[in-house]
Every structure is written in structure tokens, then in C-alpha cells.
Amino acid sequence: MTNGFGKRLVVRLLLTILLTFTVLGTLGSGYAGYLLSSPKVCLSQVEKQQAAAKIHDSVESYFTAQYQTTAIPAETYLNVVTEDWIAERLEEQITSEYQILNGAKLSYQLDMSDLEAALTQFFSDYAEEINYTKDSTYEQKLQETIDNAEAELTSQLDVYHFSTMRNANILSQLTGKQLYLWIACGVCGVVSLLLMGILMGLERNGEWGMLYFPGCALFINGVFLILPTAWVLATSYFSGLAIKVPAVYAVVTGVLYHCTRVGLVAGIVLAVLGLAAIVGSTIGRRKAARYENSRFHSTFSRWHQARP
């Protein structure tokens, strides 16, 4: 009897461990698929962390310093490059990069038409003021100024370093992988449901109750998620990242903390559900045992009374 009980317990423990990993795989692959498929998290952090305002301050400092070299007033740039303009360009860039990540055949190019027009007007007015003929040198200097401004703005606006990841072939390796993550999520989810069904079936008339072992798996998953995420948030771990650009630092750490909070909430939900299943199953099993015991005593009493 003891040997049979031990074997049954080992089977249930192995299935519970497997269920723990499949539930974790379902959550992990599902959220990773969501992060790679939708720009919502990145866009929300750009707005929440006020990235446009931080970029505007940085751009203003840059073009103000450049005045000593170019003699172009910073207002020439800043009248166009407002916070709203930056916010619109950020949304366009992030959305376009995600479309590319999801297989769209396009390439993002910063819309410089308004700023190009402003710089062209400034150069034209200045040339007329000093009676300078618009020759090839004039055109070359104008184009260099436009190109330098575009390069600086493109760099400042790339808060998630898409260009760096593209040059390192990281984006190309991630492109189109969302489908595999969704498939993994679906497979792990189906396997998790099957394992739960098997564990519940094994414990239909067992010693522990139908929901006991599925509850254990959910509770373990919850603890597994709660401990590291709570530690990261409590210690502000990501705040120590050595990122010198304020806008980049804000959005990158913002996304990391957002994902950490999602993990913490998921862990709390799983732990609560698991604990509720364990407690409920235990209480239900004890009530069933008392009911069976009372039925036995009642039947035995009636049998004893019926004896001659």
C-alpha cells in the first residue's frame, strides 16, 4: 500500500513540475509575442516618460552650441522641431519599425520637409542680405547643413536604438519570429490544460483533491515570478543602467520596469489562484472525508440495530 501510494505521488509530482514549466512557457512566449507584435508598450513609455520633452531639451542644447560654428540661430531649427513635432516623429518611427519587424517591406525615413524648407529659407534670406550669388558652394553648404541636422535628429529620435539593432543584425533575427512565439504559447497552453485535466482526473477520488496539484503548480509559478520581480522593483535595479542620454535612459528603463510590473502582477494572480485551489481542494477533500465517515457510521449503526 505504501509503495503504491509513493508511486502515485511521484507521478503527480512529475506532472505538477511539468505543468509548472508549461504554464511559465505559455505566459513567457505569449508576452514576448505581444511585445514583438505590438508597439503599444514602447509608445506608451515614450509618452509616459516624456521622451519628446527630453529630446527637445537635448536638441535645443545641440543647435544652440552649433550656432558658434554655423551662425545659424537655434530658433531656425526649433521653430520647426517642437515637442509636438518630435512626438509625431517618434510615433511614426516606432510604428514603422514595428511594421518592418512584422514583415512589412518598407524602410523608415525621417520627414525633414518642414525643417528643410526652413533652412532653405534662412540660407536664401541670408544670401540676399549679403548679396551672395547662389552658386554650387551655396548649394553644397545648404545640403551639408540639412544632412547634418537630419543625422542629429535621426540619432536623437532613435530612443530604442533600432538602427543599432539593425546594424548588429538583431532586428533581422527577430523579424517574423512572432508567429513561432504565438505557436509556442498555444502549444504550451494546450499542454497545460491537458496536464491539469490529467491531474484532476487522477485525483477525482484521490487523497488530495482534484485541484490540489494544479494549484501547487500555479502557486509555484506565482512565487517564481514574484520573488525576482519584487526584488528588481524594490532595489530599482534597472536605474543603475549606464545610459547617458536622458530620453533613451527614460524609455528603456520604463519598458524594463513595465515588463517587471507585468511579471509581478502575473505572479500575484497565479499565487492567489494556486493558493485558493490548494486550500479549496484541501477543505473540500476533508469535508468529503467527514461525509464518507459519517455515512459509514450511519450505515453501520443501522446494520447493528437491525441485527436480531
Side-chain angles (χ1 to χ4, degrees):
M1 182 175 177
T2 304
N3 188 39
F5 175 79
K7 289 181 178 179
R8 292 197 301 273
L9 181 60
V10 168
V11 170
R12 286 157 175 74
L13 289 177
L14 290 175
L15 291 174
T16 301
I17 293 172
L18 184 58
L19 177 58
T20 301
F21 284 107
T22 57
V23 170
L24 192 62
T26 302
L27 296 176
S29 57
Y31 194 64
Y34 170 73
L35 288 177
L36 288 179
S37 300
S38 173
K40 289 183 179 179
V41 173
C42 290
L43 289 173
S44 66
Q45 289 304 313
V46 163
E47 181 178 359
K48 183 177 180 180
Q49 303 298 331
Q50 299 180 332
K54 291 179 173 65
I55 292 173
H56 186 270
D57 292 342
S58 180
V59 167
E60 182 177 10
S61 298
Y62 174 80
F63 287 124
T64 299
Q66 285 294 301
Y67 175 74
Q68 304 299 327
T69 304
T70 64
I72 302 175
E75 290 74 17
T76 304
Y77 299 94
L78 298 177
N79 287 338
V80 175
V81 185
T82 62
E83 284 189 26
D84 290 338
W85 185 90
I86 292 172
E88 291 175 3
R89 300 294 85 74
L90 283 170
E91 183 175 357
E92 289 175 1
Q93 183 204 34
I94 294 169
T95 302
S96 296
E97 293 292 352
Y98 262 86
Q99 290 174 345
I100 296 170
L101 194 60
N102 283 276
K105 302 298 182 182
L106 56 88
S107 59
Y108 174 75
Q109 184 69 32
L110 178 65
D111 183 6
M112 287 282 293
S113 56
D114 293 342
L115 184 56
E116 184 174 342
L119 290 172
T120 300
Q121 186 63 48
F122 172 81
F123 267 71
S124 179
D125 293 344
Y126 185 70
E128 290 180 7
E129 183 180 336
I130 63 174
N131 296 318
Y132 186 87
T133 304
K134 297 179 181 179
D135 53 10
S136 58
T137 303
Y138 168 90
E139 296 294 341
Q140 180 181 358
K141 187 63 177 177
L142 173 60
Q143 191 59 49
E144 285 180 0
T145 302
I146 293 173
D147 291 343
N148 290 337
E150 181 176 7
E152 178 62 25
L153 289 172
T154 299
S155 175
Q156 293 269 10
L157 289 166
D158 192 14
V159 290
Y160 288 111
H161 284 261
F162 288 112
S163 59
T164 303
M165 290 190 287
R166 183 178 297 104
N167 294 333
N169 293 322
I170 295 175
L171 287 183
S172 61
Q173 294 175 13
L174 294 176
T175 301
K177 298 301 187 295
Q178 298 88 338
L179 177 61
Y180 299 109
L181 288 170
W182 290 125
I183 291 174
C185 177
V187 170
C188 288
V190 170
V191 173
S192 297
L193 292 175
L194 289 174
L195 290 171
M196 285 184 182
I198 293 171
L199 284 168
M200 291 171 67
L202 291 174
E203 281 297 314
R204 185 172 54 184
N205 297 311
E207 299 89 346
W208 303 91
M210 292 178 65
L211 295 177
Y212 184 84
F213 288 102
C216 288
L218 294 179
F219 183 75
I220 293 170
N221 269 302
V223 173
F224 183 80
L225 289 173
I226 289 172
L227 291 179
T229 53
W231 178 80
V232 167
L233 293 174
T235 60
S236 299
Y237 179 78
F238 296 124
S239 299
L241 291 177
I243 301 176
K244 296 181 180 180
V245 182
V248 176
Y249 174 85
V251 297
V252 170
T253 55
V255 169
L256 291 174
Y257 280 125
H258 172 81
C259 294
T260 304
R261 285 190 290 271
V262 169
L264 179 61
V265 171
I268 292 173
V269 171
L270 288 174
V272 170
L273 289 175
L275 190 59
I278 293 170
V279 173
S281 184
T282 302
I283 293 174
R285 190 59 193 157
R286 287 181 178 178
K287 286 183 177 180
R290 285 198 297 268
Y291 175 73
E292 291 295 331
N293 192 42
S294 65
R295 281 187 59 193
F296 171 78
H297 284 292
S298 177
T299 303
F300 180 78
S301 177
R302 287 197 300 270
W303 174 80
H304 183 73
Q305 292 174 2
R307 291 182 63 189

